[in-house]
Amino acid sequence: EQAGLSIALVADQLTDNNVAGMQIPSAWYQSLNPLFVMLLAPLFAALWLRMGRRQPSTPIKFSVGLALLSASFLLMVPAAYLTATGQISPLWLVGLFALQTMGELCLSPVGLSAMTKLAPPRMVGLMLGVWFLGAAFGNKLAGILGTGFSSDDPAQLAQFFLSIAAMTGATAVAML
């Protein structure tokens, strides 16, 4: 949930938005996640169907999703250090959003499916509400964590991304 906060600030303040001689608005990076969802969702669906009964369990898929999220923030650690020499390439953000979207595709549809399957029939709506309430808490936490963002100090920015990577990585391990 840092895409609308720290990642948007990186895109706006620290990224060279001149691509092939054209200056692109930093807000356009926010469209990468939906683009990757449209491109990758059919592949993930086909993968799960092809694996059939051999596919990983829901907790394993959650762990993989969180590990991919952690990897996306680890990717930003060297990018943060590179901001000391100037603006970074947009490819750092493309990589970040690609990893985050793959993680999202291991989490979001799988979680919604699990809530639907595991909830008693009369409580499916309530359980889906609880799922989305968890996302709301995640947004609040993202805002709190985002107060640690600083584009002025590359080392502090790297530490910011590393701490988020560590938290999500630890969560992935706990989920295992």
Side-chain angles (χ1 to χ4, degrees), residues 15-159:
T15 303
D16 179 7
N17 293 319
N18 187 354
V19 177
M22 183 178 89
Q23 189 69 19
I24 63 166
S26 60
W28 284 14
Y29 293 104
Q30 295 297 317
S31 66
L32 288 174
N33 175 258
L35 176 66
F36 282 132
V37 167
M38 289 187 296
L39 294 173
L40 297 174
L43 299 176
F44 272 73
L47 173 68
W48 301 142
L49 288 174
R50 185 176 182 100
M51 292 179 83
R53 301 188 112 174
R54 297 183 326 261
Q55 67 179 280
S57 67
T58 297
I60 297 296
K61 290 177 185 175
F62 278 20
S63 294
V64 169
L66 290 167
L68 287 165
L69 181 62
S70 180
S72 76
F73 285 108
L74 280 175
L75 177 69
M76 293 306 290
V77 172
Y81 283 117
L82 288 172
T83 64
T85 61
Q87 293 184 319
I88 59 171
S89 166
L91 294 177
W92 291 100
L93 294 175
V94 172
L96 170 119
F97 279 112
L99 287 168
Q100 287 188 355
T101 303
M102 287 186 281
E104 177 184 353
L105 290 171
C106 289
L107 264 167
S108 186
V110 174
L112 288 170
S113 173
M115 294 302 250
T116 303
K117 289 177 189 171
L118 297 174
R122 294 185 345 224
M123 298 186 72
V124 170
L126 176 65
M127 291 294 95
L128 290 174
V130 169
W131 174 265
F132 287 113
L133 185 61
F137 285 131
N139 280 313
K140 176 62 176 170
L141 179 60
I144 292 168
L145 293 174
T147 61
F149 178 85
S150 172
S151 63
D152 300 336
D153 181 5
Q156 183 181 357
L157 182 59
Q159 184 58 44

